Amino acid sequence: QRPVVESGGGLVQAGGSLRLSCQVSGMTFDTYSMGWFRQTPGKEREGVSCISANSRSTYYADSVKGRFTISRDNAKKMVYLQMNSLKPEDTAIYYCAPPRYNEYGTCRVPPGGYKYWGQGTQVTVSS
């Protein structure tokens, strides 16, 4: 069983919306910050948004502020990313994982040895 399973991606026109979901298993979920990260071919994975374990604090990359909203349900071990006003530059594979050092405020990609990446979910935004 994969520790994380992402879903909800798809093809959408610019200006449209998608809601990504991440089901987590095999960890004490409510003690971890969680984040959404994205990657496009030839580029490094980058932090998009992160949320603290108790949902009280969030972080958003400048490129998505005001358009994306992260949330979580600790009882269901789920993390969500509501994406509105999508742009072609949002096209990427999106992954969820705990941020490096469990720090939501910096929302850094887990270190290179992190081995619990899910398969991700593809988001494609057409112009």
Side-chain angles (χ1 to χ4, degrees):
Q1 182 181 7
R2 291 182 180 273
V4 294
V5 178
E6 301 95 344
S7 62
L11 173 63
V12 64
Q13 289 188 331
S17 298
L18 286 173
R19 188 192 192 212
L20 306 185
S21 298
C22 173
Q23 176 71 66
V24 179
S25 61
M27 62 184 286
T28 311
F29 183 73
D30 59 1
T31 66
Y32 283 89
S33 297
M34 289 296 296
W36 285 96
F37 305 88
R38 68 186 181 187
Q39 189 170 25
T40 55
K43 293 187 177 181
E44 293 187 352
R45 207 166 299 195
E46 64 176 359
V48 176
S49 180
C50 287
I51 187 168
S52 62
N54 60 12
S55 298
R56 291 178 183 172
S57 300
T58 56
Y59 163 93
Y60 295 95
D62 288 342
S63 58
V64 306
K65 278 181 183 176
R67 301 188 297 121
F68 291 10
T69 302
I70 190 170
S71 61
R72 64 189 291 164
D73 184 332
N74 284 353
K76 296 181 179 179
K77 294 190 175 183
M78 295 287 294
V79 188
Y80 306 99
L81 187 67
Q82 178 65 44
M83 306 188 296
N84 299 328
S85 303
L86 282 161
K87 303 176 180 181
E89 51 263 44
D90 295 319
T91 295
I93 300 176
Y94 285 71
Y95 304 87
C96 74
R100 187 176 303 197
Y101 310 129
N102 206 30
E103 292 179 351
Y104 66 88
T106 53
C107 203
R108 293 175 62 190
V109 176
Y114 184 75
K115 57 182 180 180
Y116 301 112
W117 291 108
Q119 60 185 8
T121 186
Q122 174 72 50
V123 171
T124 303
V125 185
S126 63
S127 57

